[in-house]
Amino acid sequence: LPGVEPMAPAADAARLLDALAALAAVAVEELPEVVLVHERLGPAPALETIREVALRFPAVGVVLVTADAGPALYSAAMDAGARGIAALPLAYDELGARVQAAAHWAAGVRRHLGGGPEAAPAGPGGRLVAVIGAKGGVGTTVTAVQLALAAHAGGRGVALVDMDLQSGDIASYLDVQFRRSIADLAGISDISPRVLQDAVFPHPTGLALLLAPAEGERGEEIGDLASRQIIAALRARYDLVVVDCGTQITAAGAAVVETADLALLVTTPDVISVRAAKRMVRLWDRLQIRKAEDTTTVVNRHTRGAEIQPPLVARTTGTRTARTPIPAGYKELQPAVDSGRMQDLDAKSAVKQALWTLDP
């Protein structure tokens, strides 16, 4: 793997822990960013070894190497503290993606552990905002589009990304027909400004659009590694990157949620949607993607007479809620949605005014 410096292998779990302890005694920076734990490392079960490494050396990202990459083991590995699973026989692309993701996470932990302004990195560039729907039909795309339009109106350079890879609708909401998509950036390890420019659609509103592929099956081309590389390239060029992650957690979407400066979870004030939001937050926590307290829930289609109010949503999900809920405004939105011109939503619209207060 390019840029990777392998250390001496450890013959068993005891030697691994001893080696890590010796390095940690010198400095956290001496620890490896990533440890690959083979399922047959022994003598202790691999998951116990992973749990021990995660507890004693939280700045190390652990990847389990196993022949069983099924969902049950994946969940157990995540619970033990692993940052990913690499399936045997090892494949170059998958191993590279797992190592890079774990290394990225470890680097973030070390920045937090370092503390103080001198430990703060220069930063990846522009601010990243992830917009996720608790379930379908709660207004995720409307929120993402209006958020991007508001930021651009404030003078910022904004990229709006459709990471709802199978069924993204940003193109429809902004009346766009463009043959390039985010899938065209998959597999490109060095995304130059020229390559990025060819994939991005310059919308008349001033937004830079990176659209979901028209062929939903091409969404499978965007994995964790590709997602991180694409977002990094966008952040290097734009002041703000707004990503519509849809409602299904994919590897690509999880990478965005994990690294976002602001994660907005959109729900409506009804039992089904709030329960879905709670499940989403719990899933992120189990997979160690994002903590509930680091998530902001946007209550959409709010009415004063509704039984479910924002404080109840906050208590149920464990998140904080946006200061201003988004009022119900079907009649206001429908003409703009039907015409595919969300940018023409009336400035006096209560929905628009509320969405534009979600200043990222």
Side-chain angles (χ1 to χ4, degrees), residues 236-322:
R237 183 168 181 179
Y238 298 95
D239 301 319
L240 179 69
V241 180
V242 179
V243 183
D244 178 354
C245 295
T247 60
Q248 300 295 322
I249 285 296
T250 62
V256 174
V257 174
E258 182 180 23
T259 56
D261 298 293
L262 175 65
L264 298 176
L265 178 59
V266 184
T267 185
T268 47
D270 57 85
V271 172
I272 294 176
S273 295
V274 174
R275 284 179 176 171
K278 183 177 180 179
R279 287 196 300 272
M280 182 76 75
V281 170
R282 286 183 170 179
L283 174 63
W284 292 349
D285 186 65
R286 288 197 304 274
L287 299 181
Q288 297 184 20
I289 294 172
R290 197 174 193 91
K291 293 184 178 298
E293 56 266 28
D294 295 329
T295 303
T296 299
T297 300
V298 178
V299 181
N300 191 25
R301 299 176 197 149
H302 171 263
T303 58
R304 292 184 178 180
E307 184 176 347
I308 297 177
Q309 293 294 320
L312 178 58
V313 175
R315 290 195 301 272
T316 302
T317 60
T319 64
R320 56 178 178 269
T321 53

Side-chain angles (χ1 to χ4, degrees), residues 161-202:
V161 184
D162 198 340
M163 199 73 84
D164 187 357
L165 298 171
Q166 274 73 44
S167 54
D169 266 342
I170 284 179
S172 299
Y173 278 69
L174 291 171
D175 193 21
V176 172
Q177 292 184 350
F178 189 55
R179 63 185 181 86
R180 296 297 185 97
S181 77
I182 191 171
D184 294 304
L185 297 177
I188 301 177
S189 57
D190 183 14
I191 303 175
S192 67
R194 178 60 184 273
V195 169
L196 186 64
Q197 183 179 357
D198 288 343
V200 167
F201 177 81

Side-chain angles (χ1 to χ4, degrees), residues 6-23:
M7 301 179 71
D12 56 46
R15 294 184 189 183
L16 170 62
L17 294 170
D18 288 345
L20 293 176
L23 293 169

